[in-house]
């Protein structure tokens, strides 16, 4: 699926390679037929506009948006498991899915990084690919709405991913819910997280239960992805 592959590339940290192959991406999208015509044009325009600015500017924009705070994180399990113990097992399970389908991952990549997951989906048959997108549709809707309210151009990519998933999620109330969230990318919020996560060299009696309480404090007042079964992993619908 060309459109999904292109979106995956656009959600990666911007590099010179993306800028060098801009025209090739647009030509490939002109031949693609996965998206309705209007949305396909929007994706082509995104590529032109995004790569039309200096690379350093886009890199700074990317870091400001995706590397500060957790609300717009591109790590899927951040929105499901946060720092709970379940996250480690979910990573292992997802990595096994990748390996079963012949996808080799660089050791620097986390398996739940959204661009990597999308690349994995492009290797699957159409039905399983759509199921894989549907599994993360609640996360896509939530992060997309947060990006929209931050007036980020990347909100369009999440909107297109939902189109590709054929999701029937009802998101009318999502905008109001997200608007009530406290921003987690402000200097004050980032300082608070830093103070909270200082390395402890000696465990205390409360360490055993710290994962859940830390998650609850950090996400107090935040919107939880709706319609998501938190007891199942993201690949339950795409396993062979």
């Amino acid at each position: 699926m060309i459109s999904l592959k292109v979106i995956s590339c656009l959600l990666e940290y911007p590099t010179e390679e993306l800028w060098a192959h801009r025209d090739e991406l647009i030509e490939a999208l002109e031949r693609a037929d996965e998206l309705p015509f209007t949305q396909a044009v929007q994706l082509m325009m995104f590529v032109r506009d995004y790569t039309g600015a200096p690379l350093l500017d886009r890199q700074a924009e990317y870091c400001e948006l995706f590397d500060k705070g957790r609300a717009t994180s591109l790590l899927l399990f951040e929105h499901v498991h946060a720092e709970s113990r379940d996250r480690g097992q979910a990573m292992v399970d997802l990595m096994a899915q990748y390996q079963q389908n012949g996808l080799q991952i660089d050791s620097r990549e986390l398996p739940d990084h959204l661009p990597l997951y999308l690349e994995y989906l492009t290797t699957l048959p159409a039905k399983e690919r759509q199921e894989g997108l549907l599994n993360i549709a609640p996360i896509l809707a939530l992060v997309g709405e947060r990006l929209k309210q931050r007036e980020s151009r990347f909100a369009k990519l999440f909107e297109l991913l939902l189109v590709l998933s054929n999701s029937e999620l009802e998101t009318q109330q999502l905008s109001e819910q997200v608007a009530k969230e406290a921003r987690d990318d402000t200097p004050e919020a980032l300082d608070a997280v830093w103070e909270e996560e200082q390395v402890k060299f000696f465990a205390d009696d409360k360490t055993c239960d710290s994962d859940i309480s830390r998650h609850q404090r950090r996400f107090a007042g935040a919107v939880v992805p709706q319609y998501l079964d938190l007891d199942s992993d993201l690949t339950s619908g795409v396993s062979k």
Side-chain angles (χ1 to χ4, degrees):
M1 177 175 278
I2 297 175
S3 299
L4 192 60
K5 180 67 175 179
V6 170
I7 293 175
S8 172
C9 292
L10 293 171
L11 287 173
E12 290 279 10
Y13 180 75
T15 64
E16 292 181 358
E17 184 178 8
L18 177 61
W19 262 238
H21 294 283
R22 174 187 62 179
D23 293 339
E24 297 174 29
L25 291 179
I26 295 175
E27 291 175 2
L29 289 172
E30 290 175 344
R31 300 190 299 270
D33 59 359
E34 303 95 359
L35 287 168
F37 176 76
T38 300
Q39 281 80 10
V41 172
Q42 290 174 348
L43 183 53
M44 286 185 279
M45 291 177 63
F46 184 100
V47 174
R48 289 188 182 278
D49 177 68
Y50 188 60
T51 57
L55 176 60
L56 288 177
D57 290 349
R58 294 306 191 207
Q59 290 174 336
E61 174 189 354
Y62 186 95
C63 292
E64 185 73 20
L65 188 63
F66 295 120
D67 293 342
K68 286 188 176 182
R70 288 174 163 82
T72 57
S73 174
L74 294 180
L75 297 176
L76 295 169
F77 291 139
E78 182 67 52
H79 304 283
V80 182
H81 301 298
E83 296 177 351
S84 73
R85 295 179 179 86
D86 294 335
R87 186 172 186 172
Q89 186 59 52
M91 291 280 196
V92 172
D93 293 341
L94 187 56
M95 182 73 77
Q97 290 287 340
Y98 291 164
Q99 293 174 345
Q100 289 175 10
N101 285 273
L103 183 62
Q104 299 298 320
I105 303 176
D106 190 289
S107 59
R108 295 170 297 179
E109 294 283 2
L110 290 175
D112 64 332
H113 192 226
L114 178 57
L116 182 60
Y117 181 73
L118 296 179
E119 181 179 350
Y120 159 67
L121 293 183
T122 64
T123 69
L124 301 179
K127 182 180 179 181
E128 295 182 6
R129 180 168 59 239
Q130 185 177 347
E131 289 175 347
L133 283 173
L134 280 173
N135 275 332
I136 64 169
I139 299 175
L140 296 176
L142 179 57
V143 176
E145 181 59 35
R146 287 169 174 164
L147 292 170
K148 181 180 179 181
Q149 294 197 14
R150 297 185 187 190
E151 299 182 345
S152 168
R153 71 183 78 251
F154 283 95
K156 175 56 64 176
L157 297 184
F158 284 77
E159 177 185 319
L160 295 177
L161 287 174
L162 287 174
V163 172
L164 290 171
S165 74
N166 289 328
S167 171
E168 297 181 356
L169 286 177
E170 294 291 340
T171 60
Q172 294 179 354
Q173 298 181 347
L174 190 58
S175 178
E176 295 180 2
Q177 293 174 330
V178 169
K180 296 177 182 178
E181 287 183 324
R183 291 281 293 260
D184 69 347
D185 61 338
T186 63
E188 295 78 12
L190 293 172
D191 286 344
V193 171
W194 172 259
E195 293 175 0
E196 179 183 315
E197 294 184 345
Q198 292 184 66
V199 177
K200 293 183 179 180
F201 292 97
F202 298 97
D204 54 35
D205 294 337
K206 298 180 180 180
T207 300
C208 294
D209 298 323
S210 62
D211 286 344
I212 295 177
S213 60
R214 186 183 301 121
H215 171 71
Q216 291 173 336
R217 289 197 303 273
R218 176 167 299 126
F219 284 87
V223 180
V224 176
Q226 298 298 307
Y227 316 105
L228 190 67
D229 182 0
L230 301 184
D231 294 325
S232 64
D233 64 68
L234 296 179
T235 59
S236 60
V238 295
S239 60
K240 290 189 174 180

